[in-house]
Amino acid sequence: MNKVVLIGRFTKEPELRYTPSGLSVVAFTLAVDRNFKNANGERETDFISCQAWKQVAELIAKYCHKGNRIACAGRIQVQNWVTDDGQKKYTTQVIIEEISFLENKNSTFTGELQGSATVGEFVPIEDDNVPF
C-alpha cells in the first residue's frame, strides 16, 4: 500500500499549469512540522514536494495561498532518469489525491472553503448546512 497523509503549510503561491493535452496540474511544497523536538529542543520542519492534478489542482490554485494550512492524502511517486553525462538522478514527490482545507496562517477559511475535496468533486460545507 502506498498512502501518505500530510498536514502542512504552503511555502509559496501555488501556480496552475496545463499539460499539452489540457490537463491541469499544480506543483507545490508543503512545510510539515515534525512531531518531536531535536537535541536543542526545537521543532524541525520537512519540506515535501507535492503535485496535484485535474480538479484537485484547480481547487488548490483557486483557494490556497502561501501560508495556508491543509491536510492532504496521496501517494509517493519516485521518478528516475539518466542525465546526458550518464549520472542517475531521481526525485520523490507526493501525488495529492484528497485535500481538506484547514485554517490559513492569519485566520480561518470562511464557510465557503471549509470541507474536503477528492479527485472528481468538491462540495463546500457551510455552518448552516451542518445537521448538528
Side-chain angles (χ1 to χ4, degrees):
M1 178 183 298
N2 182 352
K3 185 78 168 180
V4 175
V5 177
L6 301 169
I7 295 176
R9 294 188 186 278
F10 285 85
T11 61
K12 64 180 182 175
E13 292 292 317
E15 186 176 330
L16 186 65
R17 297 178 189 262
Y18 294 91
T19 65
S21 63
L23 290 176
S24 52
V25 60
V26 65
F28 56 95
T29 301
L30 279 184
V32 178
D33 290 333
R34 294 183 181 175
N35 62 356
F36 58 89
K37 296 180 180 180
N38 64 18
N40 297 329
E42 302 168 338
R43 282 203 192 274
E44 294 182 7
T45 302
D46 292 305
F47 296 90
I48 311 294
S49 296
C50 301
Q51 192 176 71
W53 292 83
K54 300 179 183 178
Q55 294 92 344
V56 174
E58 292 172 15
L59 289 169
I60 288 171
K62 184 174 181 181
Y63 293 115
C64 296
H65 303 282
K66 180 179 178 178
N68 286 156
R69 189 170 174 236
I70 66 165
C72 55
R75 60 184 168 79
I76 292 177
Q77 179 173 293
V78 178
Q79 295 179 342
N80 301 297
W81 70 95
V82 178
T83 63
D84 292 338
D85 60 355
Q87 290 185 330
K88 197 170 202 180
K89 300 280 185 170
Y90 71 94
T91 184
T92 303
Q93 59 187 353
V94 177
I95 305 300
I96 303 301
E97 297 166 341
E98 302 173 53
I99 60 172
S100 291
F101 298 104
L102 305 176
E103 82 280 351
N104 68 19
K105 195 172 185 179
N106 299 317
S107 64
T108 58
F109 282 116
T110 63
E112 176 189 358
L113 301 180
Q114 292 174 347
S116 299
T118 59
V119 175
E121 69 178 62
F122 173 70
V123 180
I125 298 173
E126 296 184 22
D127 289 339
D128 295 343
N129 295 335
V130 178
F132 46 88

